Amino acid sequence: MPVNGLGPYDDSNVFARILRNEIPSRRVYEDEWAFAFHDIAPQAPLHVLVIPKGRYVSLADFTAQASAEEIAGFWRAVTRVARELDLEAPGYRVLTNIGEHAGQEVPHFHVHIFGGRPLGRMVSKSVME
């Protein structure tokens, strides 16, 4: 059972279907641990999603259930994608949403890589006051 109450993994989710090549994607990178592709509704000039190839619903599920090798391989893939997109020098943001309150839309663990322009503050100062 996945960790954090999101329920069991749904093999019909859009990312599972992308991994099975049932839905086309604009691939950026792939290795044995991860698959990266351009977001279909980008929120920055560069907006790439990186997903593990395993069946995990969230970061909490991934870190609790995946092997150490799989976790390391996935995060190495995230940084490799950023490097290959020439985002290291100017900077980039990595974001993952977990659950309803955070706005997780697809129940397959994924991270967003945003870059290509100054992204501004993560949370406005008014929210912090």
Side-chain angles (χ1 to χ4, degrees):
M1 174 76 165
V3 175
N4 82 0
L6 291 174
Y9 185 83
D10 178 2
D11 283 310
S12 67
N13 79 70
V14 67
F15 294 164
R17 295 181 66 206
I18 286 171
L19 284 171
R20 293 191 304 266
N21 292 312
E22 295 173 4
I23 296 175
S25 64
R26 290 180 38 222
R27 185 176 73 86
V28 172
Y29 176 81
E30 182 174 11
D31 65 17
E32 69 181 293
W33 308 116
F35 185 79
F37 54 97
H38 290 278
D39 193 292
I40 61 169
Q43 297 179 31
L46 279 170
H47 183 175
V48 171
L49 299 169
V50 185
I51 60 177
K53 289 191 169 178
R55 301 170 75 244
Y56 305 103
V57 297
S58 69
L59 177 60
D61 184 32
F62 180 66
T63 58
Q65 307 294 330
S67 70
E69 185 179 27
E70 188 174 9
I71 293 167
F74 175 79
W75 289 109
R76 285 187 185 111
V78 170
T79 58
R80 181 171 179 175
V81 168
R83 185 174 52 255
E84 290 182 359
L85 293 172
D86 293 323
L87 294 174
E88 284 186 332
Y92 61 98
R93 179 171 293 151
V94 174
L95 172 81
T96 188
N97 299 309
I98 302 170
E100 181 182 348
H101 282 198
Q104 182 178 357
E105 295 176 8
V106 179
H108 184 112
F109 169 52
H110 58 286
V111 300
H112 300 258
I113 299 175
F114 300 103
R117 68 168 165 79
L119 298 171
R121 294 183 63 86
M122 177 89 160
V123 177
S124 71
K125 287 184 180 181
S126 64
V127 173
M128 300 300 291
E129 295 173 353

